[in-house]
Amino acid sequence: MLLDSLLKKRALIVALATQFGALSNAVGASCTTQSQMTQLQRDSLANQSRAMLVQVQNGDVQGLRANTVPAVAADFSGIMDSTLQLRPLLQRATITVDALYILDAAADPAGAARTDFFCGSPVVVMNFTDLPPATYALAILHATGVRQPQQISLILSRTSGDRWMLAGFFDKPMTEAGHDGLWYWTAARKFAQTKANWDAWFYYRQAAFLLDPADFLSSPHLENLRHESEAVHPNGLPTENPITLSTSGSAFTVTTIDATTAFGVLDLEVHYKPDPIQLAQLHNPLAARKQVTDIMLALLEQHPELRNAFHGIWVRADQGSLSLFALELPMTGIIPDQPSSNTRPTLSPR
């Protein structure tokens, strides 16, 4: 699933335990924005950050590890995996530096529970927990000119000789299903104006996923996005607890409803936990198809606006961590007793 990783983020917070927090009135450690840096500072930080992304482009895992602070290099598997996944996406990309910040926490007491940086105007806030005293930097880079553009945020630590070394690595796409975060934000607002809150909610979440470069960062724009999103939070979503979705003759325990772009289009994805009778029906392909199609129809009957916002619906029957059966239908194919030739391959019951 895409969004509950906020979701499917491969953001790797390595050795720096970070978390997004509310804005604080406390005085944080000092922050220098890109415009406040000297030309030498900007060039040094930008060049060293860009060189690390070139190592990712080349799949130079060992070279990147050599440029990593020892505490992180000692457990490098997460960054290595991310590097190997990103390499084919970035090989022909143009690397640009989007934003730079120097975060000076060198004078902070050791063991401080929280360190806040307030940067520039309008204020960008960064919240870290258990940050060791040192001077850090955040470099946000874009890899564009490729089919799947990416944004990569690097946490860097300054060592002797004004050398910047990698201390944290975050990556995420810049677009999903062919659209960027601003497009989803605009679309969410249009849905909200027509009271299509389910559509608006999922589109706001798509926008937040694409526009927020890292979980520890907040800005006025991101706060506005969050407030708009909360204003349309729909009832009836399985968040902390499952919901019951009733169809003709059956009731299904739905555990999650989210958006996914796993197949290149924006689909809705529904997970449910079959009861013993429903579980037995999944061994019959026709009965299984009818079961999950009934779930789709029941959801669309309750929320017909979903037809206009999504390409189709995935329904997955789960048992523990296993997916027992899955079916995707485009919205035009979700019709009672009329199988669609556009059905995507199913996962065979197992």
Side-chain angles (χ1 to χ4, degrees):
M1 274 187 304
L2 174 67
L3 292 173
D4 277 339
S5 313
L6 211 176
L7 323 182
K8 195 172 113 183
K9 285 180 180 177
R10 285 175 292 145
L12 302 174
I13 309 175
V14 186
L16 298 175
T18 66
Q19 68 179 28
F20 176 76
L23 298 181
S24 170
N25 292 323
V27 176
S30 67
C31 173
T32 303
T33 64
Q34 185 169 326
S35 63
Q36 295 169 329
M37 297 177 196
T38 66
Q39 187 67 47
L40 182 61
Q41 286 175 318
R42 280 195 299 271
D43 290 346
S44 174
L45 184 52
N47 291 340
Q48 292 182 64
S49 301
R50 195 180 292 108
M52 292 178 186
L53 259 292
V54 171
Q55 289 176 316
V56 175
Q57 283 182 304
N58 296 334
D60 183 7
V61 175
Q62 293 308 313
L64 188 62
R65 187 172 188 173
N67 287 328
T68 301
V69 295
V72 178
D75 183 11
F76 200 69
S77 59
I79 292 179
M80 180 180 68
D81 291 345
S82 191
T83 297
L84 296 176
Q85 293 174 28
L86 281 172
R87 183 188 180 189
L89 302 178
L90 303 188
Q91 280 186 317
R92 292 183 172 84
T94 299
I95 304 298
T96 56
V97 177
D98 184 62
L100 297 170
Y101 301 91
I102 295 176
L103 311 172
D104 188 356
D108 276 16
R114 171 169 166 148
T115 305
D116 296 332
F117 298 93
F118 300 89
C119 305
S121 179
V123 177
V124 172
V125 183
M126 301 178 206
N127 311 121
F128 296 85
T129 59
D130 302 321
L131 188 69
T135 299
Y136 300 93
L138 170 65
I140 302 174
L141 301 101
H142 289 173
T144 57
V146 289
R147 188 172 63 88
Q148 296 178 326
Q150 304 289 314
Q151 56 182 327
I152 297 97
S153 299
L154 306 178
I155 294 290
L156 307 174
S157 179
R158 188 162 65 189
T159 61
S160 59
D162 203 30
R163 181 186 178 195
W164 292 100
M165 298 189 72
L166 183 64
F169 188 100
F170 306 76
D171 67 278
K172 63 197 305 186
M174 294 178 66
T175 63
E176 291 284 359
H179 300 293
D180 63 14
L182 290 176
W183 184 92
Y184 281 105
W185 194 346
T186 300
R189 284 175 166 173
K190 292 178 179 178
F191 286 130
Q193 290 170 358
T194 61
K195 306 301 181 184
N197 285 357
W198 276 60
D199 296 348
W201 170 253
F202 289 114
Y203 273 62
Y204 273 126
R205 282 165 59 84
Q206 282 292 131
F209 170 68
L210 294 170
L211 293 174
D212 187 358
D215 287 349
F216 56 78
L217 185 149
S218 180
S219 70
H221 289 304
L222 292 173
E223 285 298 300
N224 288 340
L225 175 57
R226 183 180 65 84
H227 288 310
E228 289 182 29
S229 175
E230 289 301 323
V232 299
H233 192 297
N235 296 321
L237 281 173
T239 50
E240 296 181 0
N241 299 304
I243 63 169
T244 298
L245 188 63
S246 297
T247 67
S248 54
S250 295
F252 295 92
T253 300
V254 175
T255 56
T256 61
I257 302 175
D258 214 333
T260 178
T261 58
F263 287 89
V265 291
L266 187 65
D267 282 326
L268 204 64
E269 186 171 43
V270 179
H271 287 249
Y272 75 103
K273 182 180 179 181
D275 64 25
I277 294 176
Q278 295 160 356
L279 187 62
Q281 293 173 345
L282 293 177
H283 294 284
N284 181 318
L286 292 178
R289 179 191 172 91
K290 183 179 186 306
Q291 186 176 126
V292 297
T293 303
D294 284 346
I295 292 173
M296 296 178 191
L297 288 167
L299 185 62
L300 291 176
E301 183 177 356
Q302 290 185 15
H303 305 286
E305 68 273 17
L306 294 172
R307 287 190 180 272
N308 299 321
F310 295 91
H311 163 268
I313 300 179
W314 272 101
V315 174
R316 298 182 182 273
D318 299 328
Q319 186 176 50
S321 60
L322 296 177
S323 180
L324 304 176
F325 187 89
L327 177 71
E328 190 272 358
L329 288 175
M331 290 299 182
T332 54
I334 305 176
I335 303 171
D337 301 321
Q338 292 188 27
S340 169
S341 60
N342 295 324
T343 302
R344 293 219 173 116
T346 64
L347 301 179
S348 300
R350 57 183 179 184

